[in-house]
Amino acid sequence: MKFLKGFGFAIVLALFIMSCTEDQEEPVTLSTVSITATIAEASETGTDGEINVRLSTSPGIPTQVNLTIGGTATNGTDYQLIENTVTIPANQLSVSIPIKVLTDDLDEGTETVVVTIESVANTSIKIGDENSATITISDPSGSLIILKPEDARSYMVNPNATDETVALFYNLKTISLSHFIVGQQDAFNSFYNDNGGDSDIKKTTGQDPGLLGSDFLFITDDQNDETSGNWFYQQEQIIIADAKEAYNKGMVNAFSWHFREPYEGKSFYTSDMTTFQKENAFKSILPGGENHEYYKQKLDKIANVANSLIGDDGKLIPFIFRPFHEFDRDWFWWGQSFCTPEEFIALWRFTVEYLRDSKGVNNMLFAFSPDNSITSASDYLARYPGDNYVDILAMDNYSDFFNLNEAGMEAANNKLQIISALANERVKIAALSESGYQVKDGQVEDISGFYSNYLYNALTKNNVKIGFMMFWYNGSDYYYTPVPGLNSTDDFIDFANKPASWLADDLPDMYSLP
């Protein structure tokens, strides 16, 4: 029995040694690598695609993954060139590959991009079951009018516009086919918690907004006497400096006009006005009205500012002018209850002709922007002054986003579809000229996914094509765009990093034609 026991022990020991030897010879698999299409539906005139290469666990060193690029779309022709190797950095699990679709005039139908994992440089990493990803690129160009640089001037309000203004029109239109510029009102001077310095969007994302919103309110105020000690004139100088800074950074400028009523010059809100003022303010500034000359003086001031906006390059700074916004509501004295469609159209046309023809303003694009009451193209066009008087078909919309659910998002998207389609038919630029959701300290909390889900989908679903969208300004105890450290900060960063969203550093040269 002792012999048998010893013999048995020897056999077990030998088997154990053999087992250990075999285990040492076989490589240990630390991780698998897979590839998926995180944005699988792209469009030549819409959304870019995105592919993600992911490790199940990190080996702690950089991982080079070799790829095969295939499909019916041509790498470097139908989409920006992507390399056939990608490296996942050490201690990271994944890396994304953007499929940036290139626009052309060819009707190519639907094409595909197929990216397959061929091999991995690290032999301890195996290729997983998900080893291929496909992006579908649709091409609805048959129904879209693609603007050519040489034709841009013929679709603009001002055929004598400066070359830089023509380029701005063309580039905004072209950008709208696949991206939108993210802007903010008064971004250089209004901050959450009054924390100055960089714009709040730059504090959060590392980039300024691509568009700066400003206002002619203080510039045209009755109390602006244009002396250095005057508060309103000081605000004028700040606004002009901001516009120049934005231009010099390659950003886009847009001016709204909260124009105070002409009788007392105190307010633009009808809630502050007498019945007489509400019923007569708009009519009084029409040609022949008792305040028409007063109105022309305000336009003279706007023209003087426009004609003196010079960038560091010595050229006139182009900008978007958006007068009489939200005219389909009644909170402003130019609202629909206080003038007929014919009166509104007459004043709009006079405004354009006076600035363009009488004052020689050639660096201005005109934006037409009701609020969100529209439900059809006929609604939108009810007070439309005509294609010869409008460059940008826009809309302001806050209240659809107050619902903060799918229904609100779909309502906003439906309205943007109307504007987008009209802009395509008329070769104009579509835009969401004011929007956002105000989060207020102690009163209104942020909503999970507002930016990257509700807002982004409203701006991009169903072939919506807008050139820009603009958030309203931040204040001491509220924000429309979050700063670092808030619950919604990561959500906003995700929104800013989405394929269609462009901030300042993403912009091409907006003031040169290709």
Side-chain angles (χ1 to χ4, degrees):
M1 294 294 294
K2 289 181 180 178
F3 173 78
L4 290 173
K5 288 181 178 178
F7 182 75
F9 174 76
I11 293 173
V12 171
L13 179 61
L15 291 171
F16 175 75
I17 293 171
M18 290 174 64
S19 175
C20 290
T21 302
E22 290 173 358
D23 288 345
Q24 289 173 352
E25 291 175 354
E26 183 178 337
V28 178
T29 299
L30 298 176
S31 181
T32 59
V33 62
S34 60
I35 186 169
T36 56
T38 47
I39 303 177
E41 301 293 331
S43 172
E44 186 168 316
T45 54
T47 304
D48 292 335
E50 184 180 76
I51 287 172
N52 186 264
V53 182
R54 174 173 291 275
L55 294 165
S56 59
T57 58
S58 173
I61 58 174
T63 302
Q64 179 178 306
V65 183
N66 301 313
L67 307 169
T68 299
I69 315 298
T72 58
T74 303
N75 191 10
T77 300
D78 294 311
Y79 54 95
Q80 287 186 9
L81 184 71
I82 59 174
E83 303 296 332
N84 59 3
T85 62
V86 65
T87 299
I88 302 174
N91 301 315
Q92 290 190 24
L93 290 177
S94 68
V95 64
S96 292
I97 305 171
I99 308 298
K100 295 185 175 295
V101 182
L102 301 176
T103 301
D104 57 38
D105 294 334
L106 303 175
D107 189 359
E108 299 165 308
T110 299
E111 298 179 292
T112 59
V113 183
V114 181
V115 182
T116 304
I117 300 176
E118 181 179 295
S119 63
V120 187
N122 188 337
T123 57
S124 67
I125 298 175
K126 288 187 175 181
I127 299 174
D129 293 336
E130 293 181 302
N131 62 357
S132 184
T134 300
I135 302 288
T136 299
I137 302 176
S138 61
D139 180 12
S141 60
S143 62
L144 279 174
I145 298 174
I146 306 299
L147 179 63
K148 295 180 180 180
E150 61 270 24
D151 296 333
R153 211 176 271 276
S154 64
Y155 292 102
M156 296 173 60
V157 168
N158 189 349
N160 297 315
T162 66
D163 290 344
E164 291 73 29
T165 307
V166 176
L168 177 60
F169 178 87
Y170 171 83
N171 286 314
L172 283 172
K173 180 62 177 175
T174 303
I175 283 170
S176 73
L177 300 180
S178 55
H179 300 86
F180 59 85
I181 299 172
V182 178
Q184 185 159 31
Q185 182 78 10
D186 204 18
F188 294 163
N189 273 292
S190 294
F191 311 99
Y192 180 55
N193 285 336
D194 295 325
N195 181 22
D198 288 334
S199 66
D200 282 353
I201 287 181
K202 186 171 184 178
K203 293 185 183 86
T204 301
T205 67
Q207 296 187 56
D208 277 316
L211 178 145
L212 175 68
S214 300
D215 200 325
F216 281 116
L217 169 63
F218 298 140
I219 293 174
T220 60
D221 195 281
D222 288 350
Q223 299 176 74
N224 184 347
D225 63 8
E226 300 186 351
T227 60
S228 60
N230 179 269
W231 183 88
F232 293 91
Y233 185 67
Q234 292 169 0
Q235 299 311 302
E236 175 183 332
Q237 298 309 301
I238 291 170
I239 292 165
I240 290 173
D242 287 349
K244 291 180 178 180
E245 179 183 352
Y247 174 77
N248 293 331
K249 287 181 173 180
M251 298 164 57
V252 177
N253 280 289
F255 278 77
S256 56
W257 190 16
H258 287 84
F259 181 21
R260 303 188 200 273
E261 58 82 23
Y263 286 102
E264 296 181 353
K266 292 182 178 180
S267 181
F268 40 82
Y269 285 123
T270 53
S271 58
D272 299 327
M273 296 168 61
T274 66
T275 300
F276 173 83
Q277 289 170 331
K278 286 187 286 188
E279 291 178 351
N280 292 279
F282 192 93
K283 295 175 174 58
S284 75
I285 63 173
L286 285 165
E290 59 184 309
N291 290 316
H292 182 63
E293 291 303 315
Y294 171 89
Y295 180 59
K296 288 170 61 177
Q297 291 171 11
K298 300 305 180 184
L299 294 181
D300 289 344
K301 178 67 178 186
I302 289 173
N304 290 340
V305 170
N307 288 328
S308 64
L309 279 176
I310 307 293
D312 286 350
D313 58 4
K315 297 178 179 179
L316 275 174
I317 297 173
F319 65 93
I320 298 162
F321 181 38
R322 187 169 60 94
F324 306 120
H325 65 295
E326 300 172 12
F327 55 81
D328 54 324
R329 306 292 191 177
D330 288 339
W331 42 68
F332 299 135
W333 55 269
W334 52 84
Q336 63 178 355
S337 293
F338 312 113
C339 60
T340 66
E342 293 76 17
E343 288 169 336
F344 183 87
I345 290 170
L347 186 66
W348 184 283
R349 290 182 176 180
F350 171 82
T351 302
V352 169
E353 291 169 354
Y354 187 78
L355 289 170
R356 181 191 63 194
D357 305 333
S358 299
K359 305 302 295 184
V361 177
N362 294 322
N363 55 332
M364 184 182 288
L365 299 179
F366 291 88
F368 176 83
S369 63
D371 195 54
N372 69 343
S373 68
I374 65 166
T375 58
S376 66
S378 59
D379 283 347
Y380 189 83
L381 298 173
R383 293 178 178 238
Y384 186 66
D387 291 345
N388 291 334
Y389 295 89
V390 174
D391 296 299
I392 297 170
L393 306 183
M395 175 181 70
D396 293 2
N397 191 351
Y398 294 93
S399 59
D400 281 336
F401 296 109
F402 293 169
N403 295 319
L404 297 171
N405 54 29
E406 291 296 323
M409 181 276 291
E410 290 177 3
N413 180 256
N414 288 338
K415 294 165 188 177
L416 288 173
Q417 288 180 58
I418 294 169
I419 297 171
S420 180
L422 287 170
N424 176 56
E425 294 169 6
R426 296 161 186 268
V427 196
K428 303 295 181 180
I429 300 152
L432 181 61
S433 42
E434 275 188 43
S435 190
Y437 177 72
Q438 187 188 86
V439 180
K440 189 171 178 64
D441 293 350
Q443 296 183 36
V444 182
E445 296 182 354
D446 52 38
I447 300 297
S448 176
F450 170 72
Y451 300 100
S452 62
N453 182 14
Y454 295 115
L455 179 59
Y456 187 80
N457 286 336
L459 300 177
T460 58
K461 284 183 63 178
N462 298 310
N463 214 30
V464 163
K465 312 291 181 190
I466 62 169
F468 63 89
M469 67 82 51
M470 190 179 74
F471 294 99
W472 202 238
Y473 59 75
N474 288 354
S476 59
D477 63 347
Y478 64 86
Y479 67 81
Y480 285 89
T481 63
V483 297
L486 299 175
N487 291 336
S488 55
T489 301
D490 289 343
D491 180 35
F492 187 82
I493 293 173
D494 189 15
F495 167 80
N497 289 333
K498 291 281 190 180
S501 304
W502 270 6
L503 297 176
D505 294 350
D506 302 312
L507 300 183
D509 181 354
M510 298 298 295
Y511 303 104
S512 295
L513 287 171

